[in-house]
């Protein structure tokens, strides 16, 4: 009875699922069939399961309580869990400083261009302003993405692309499509904290591999593949979140060989691609979008308000993902959003915008690195681009404690524990250099370090 209750509580058995047969479960548990019959009868009397004559036993529709994403986290970390930074950053007022958030300041974005395009879209036909979009999203924007992929050496057709509401929804759809409760998913350690939260929502087991300056530790990667047999690996190839590291060609080659040998699917989140000064190796380019699924969005480079992401994958997978998106949200991004983004990407306006962002970010990285050094905080590496610095705190400082102490002073930091599956990153912290242009941040950080 305890074993069945545990499976229901963890969502390994969901409402409507059929329980193992009496004979099979008796063999699994090492007990007699009569013991299993007794257990099933008692659980049915409690209402947890119900019997269908001739079919077996099934989990009741009311068996599972609502899912709490943080319910299994250690109690010592409950206050600062993988959703903590997102909640604080999204809900904070304009007076709050956000060096731990994951986006650029509003005045860094191309507002004049966005306003121009918004006016143009507003003058378009009524259908754009009022109708649903195509099930796969705007063909114009998909063709623009195909051109960008071709520049990387990735030749795909429009049937291999679907536009999504965001990069996060892209990951969610892939998880819905490929995973079942109880499956194992491999992530980097550290990794983007929302990967952890999203995987928790899908009721899967998360395992991790240490991340190095050239990608995941390949020896440990193979060990985990053999021991855990994960179905999926989710990563950033370039300007990794949070470390800023970039995958090397040698590591990429070994990862793809191991993925093929162990039937592993890789999700390559390329959301930071345009922040690279020079393009680096991509798993999707080496693989030809066969075993690798490419996702991305424009939230970081254009606007988090105009939500739009994409998935590039095998045509048969895209067809099923399109149906899944129609079933769950009746389509993808609005025609207004896709028309706006397609217009900004056309011509040279977007290219000039990204050149300016890369210049400003390089300047900010140098400045913030110096400020952090002055208070004893050192970057793990000097990234080639992007807006994150993954920094080690002075010995003895717990990053969650530092973040907790800074919050009452209206400074939101991103502690290392929210990025780490193994909790080995407690003495690290991620800084968004574009959001650090205020001397108050370093003063608050210095005081928090001193009292941690």
């Amino acid at each position: 009875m305890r074993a069945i209750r545990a499976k229901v509580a963890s969502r390994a058995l969901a409402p409507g699922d059929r329980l193992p047969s009496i004979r099979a479960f008796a063999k699994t548990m090492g007990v007699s069939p009569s013991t299993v019959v007794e257990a099933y009868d008692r659980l049915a009397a409690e209402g947890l399961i119900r019997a269908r004559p001739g079919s077996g036993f099934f989990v009741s529709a009311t068996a599972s309580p609502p899912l709490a994403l943080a319910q299994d986290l250690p109690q010592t970390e409950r206050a600062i869990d993988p959703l903590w930074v997102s909640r604080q950053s999204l809900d904070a007022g304009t007076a709050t400083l956000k060096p731990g958030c994951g986006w650029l300041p509003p005045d860094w974005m191309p507002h004049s261009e966005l306003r121009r395009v918004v006016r143009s879209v507003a003058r378009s036909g009524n259908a754009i302003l009022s109708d649903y979009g195509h099930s796969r999203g705007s063909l114009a924007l998909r063709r623009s993405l195909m051109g960008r992929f071709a520049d990387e050496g990735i030749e795909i057709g429009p049937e291999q692309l679907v536009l999504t509401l965001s990069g996060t929804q892209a990951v969610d759809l892939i998880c819905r499509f490929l995973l079942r409760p109880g499956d194992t998913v491999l992530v980097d350690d550290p990794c983007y904290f929302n990967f952890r939260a999203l995987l928790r929502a899908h009721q899967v087991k998360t395992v991790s591999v240490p991340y190095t300056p050239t990608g995941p530790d390949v020896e440990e990667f193979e060990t985990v593949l053999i021991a855990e047999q994960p179905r999926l690996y989710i990563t950033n190839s370039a300007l990794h979140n949070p470390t800023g590291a970039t995958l090397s060609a040698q590591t990429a080659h070994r990862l793809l060989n191991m993925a093929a040998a162990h039937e592993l699917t890789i999700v390559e989140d390329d959301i930071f691609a345009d922040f690279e000064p020079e393009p680096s190796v991509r798993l999707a380019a080496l693989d030809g979008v066969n075993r690798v699924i490419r996702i991305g969005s424009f939230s970081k480079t254009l606007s988090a308000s105009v939500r739009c992401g994409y998935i590039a994958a095998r045509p048969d997978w895209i067809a099923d993902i399109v149906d899944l998106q129609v079933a769950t949200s009746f389509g993808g991004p609005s025609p207004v959003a896709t028309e706006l983004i397609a217009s900004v990407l056309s011509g040279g306006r977007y290219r000039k915008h990204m050149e300016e962002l890369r210049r400003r970010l390089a300047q900010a990285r140098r400045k913030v690195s110096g400020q952090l050094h002055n208070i004893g905080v050192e970057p793990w590496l000097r990234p080639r681009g992007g807006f994150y610095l993954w920094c080690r705190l002075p010995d003895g400082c717990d990053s969650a404690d530092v973040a907790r102490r800074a919050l009452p002073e209206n400074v939101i930091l991103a502690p290392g524990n929210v990025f780490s599956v193994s909790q080995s990153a407690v003495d690290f912290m991620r800084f968004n250099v574009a959001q650090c242009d205020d001397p108050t941040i370093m003063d608050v950080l210095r005081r928090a370090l001193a009292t941690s």
Side-chain angles (χ1 to χ4, degrees):
M1 289 173 69
R2 283 197 301 269
I4 294 298
R5 288 194 189 104
K7 287 179 178 291
V8 172
S10 68
R11 270 58 173 196
L13 284 173
D17 283 355
R18 186 178 185 274
L19 271 65
S21 70
I22 291 172
R23 187 183 302 275
F25 199 48
K27 184 177 181 180
T28 298
M29 299 297 291
V31 299
S32 68
S34 62
T35 301
V36 175
V37 171
E38 178 73 10
Y40 280 7
D41 284 344
R42 291 189 184 190
L43 291 170
E46 293 178 3
L48 186 71
I49 66 175
R50 57 191 176 86
R52 290 183 189 170
S55 299
F57 290 85
F58 295 79
V59 180
S60 298
T62 57
S64 298
L67 179 65
L69 297 186
Q71 66 185 19
D72 289 340
L73 293 172
Q75 288 302 304
T76 54
E77 300 296 345
R78 178 61 186 95
I80 299 183
D81 58 41
L83 294 169
W84 184 86
V85 177
S86 295
R87 288 196 307 268
Q88 301 299 329
S89 299
L90 290 170
D91 296 341
T94 55
T96 301
L97 301 173
K98 304 174 184 178
C101 79
W103 54 86
L104 297 176
D107 58 358
W108 285 43
M109 307 311 275
H111 289 149
S112 59
E113 180 64 17
L114 290 173
R115 286 192 175 92
R116 183 193 67 80
V117 174
V118 166
R119 288 192 293 268
S120 176
V121 172
R123 293 192 294 268
S124 301
N126 292 337
I128 287 181
L129 299 177
S130 59
D131 284 358
Y132 290 104
H134 189 278
S135 65
R136 293 174 182 260
S138 160
L139 181 58
L141 183 52
R142 281 186 288 144
R143 282 176 173 164
S144 178
L145 287 168
M146 287 164 54
R148 290 157 63 87
F149 290 157
D151 292 340
E152 297 180 45
I154 304 174
E155 298 294 337
I156 62 172
E159 74 282 358
Q160 290 180 264
L161 268 173
V162 58
L163 302 182
T164 63
L165 295 172
S166 65
T168 299
Q169 195 214 19
V171 179
D172 181 53
L173 287 169
I174 292 166
C175 289
R176 289 173 184 262
F177 174 57
L178 292 177
L179 301 176
R180 298 296 177 267
D183 284 346
T184 299
V185 177
L186 180 61
V187 297
D188 303 316
D189 202 343
C191 70
Y192 172 40
F193 53 77
N194 209 42
F195 288 162
R196 296 180 58 203
L198 187 56
L199 292 171
R200 170 77 184 101
H202 282 281
Q203 307 151 42
V204 298
K205 177 183 178 182
T206 303
V207 296
S208 62
V209 170
Y211 210 76
T212 78
T214 58
D217 182 316
V218 290
E219 304 300 333
E220 183 67 19
F221 194 93
E222 186 168 29
T223 299
V224 171
L225 289 187
I226 294 170
E228 301 287 349
Q229 298 181 347
R231 293 203 62 189
L232 209 62
Y233 169 49
I234 305 179
T235 188
N236 310 112
S237 289
L239 304 181
H240 176 263
N241 183 1
T243 66
T246 296
L247 189 69
S248 71
Q250 182 181 14
T251 300
H253 178 70
R254 294 187 64 180
L255 289 181
L256 289 173
N257 283 340
M258 287 187 281
H262 294 273
E263 298 184 351
L264 176 74
T265 299
I266 299 175
V267 178
E268 183 178 51
D269 183 356
D270 208 28
I271 194 170
F272 300 107
D274 291 339
F275 291 104
E276 274 198 298
E278 296 294 334
S280 61
V281 64
R282 292 295 192 278
L283 293 167
L286 297 176
D287 172 74
V289 196
N290 179 31
R291 189 168 295 280
V292 176
I293 300 174
R294 165 70 68 80
I295 67 170
S297 87
F298 303 94
S299 298
K300 307 296 186 186
T301 58
L302 285 179
S303 171
S305 177
V306 183
R307 308 305 300 276
C308 180
Y310 62 83
I311 301 173
R314 292 163 32 182
D316 55 331
W317 284 8
I318 289 294
D320 288 336
I321 290 172
V322 167
D323 287 347
L324 185 56
Q325 182 171 231
V326 170
T328 56
S329 58
F330 207 72
S334 73
V336 171
T338 54
E339 181 75 13
L340 188 153
I341 292 171
S343 180
V344 175
L345 292 180
S346 65
R349 295 182 292 272
Y350 180 73
R351 177 180 54 80
K352 291 179 180 179
H353 165 62
M354 289 310 307
E355 287 175 353
E356 176 63 13
L357 283 187
R358 289 192 292 268
R359 184 193 66 78
R360 294 183 70 173
L361 285 168
Q363 187 178 52
R365 275 194 306 276
R366 290 192 295 269
K367 178 181 178 181
V368 174
S369 293
Q371 293 172 329
L372 291 171
H373 174 76
N374 291 337
I375 58 176
V377 178
E378 296 295 341
W380 181 68
L381 59 73
R382 307 287 177 176
R384 301 170 62 245
F387 44 86
Y388 294 136
L389 284 178
W390 180 241
C391 297
R392 183 183 291 277
L393 302 183
D395 291 343
C397 290
D398 183 293
S399 61
D401 186 47
V402 172
R404 191 181 292 110
R405 292 176 183 276
L407 191 59
E409 299 193 61
N410 289 329
V411 174
I412 297 172
L413 299 170
N417 72 294
V418 304
F419 299 94
S420 177
V421 176
S422 69
Q423 303 298 314
S424 61
V426 293
D427 56 344
F428 280 85
M429 187 165 282
R430 189 193 72 180
F431 292 90
N432 180 341
V433 298
Q435 297 279 2
C436 288
D437 191 20
D438 191 306
T440 303
I441 291 172
M442 295 302 157
D443 289 339
V444 169
L445 181 60
R446 182 186 291 107
R447 290 194 295 272
L449 290 171
T451 55
S452 175

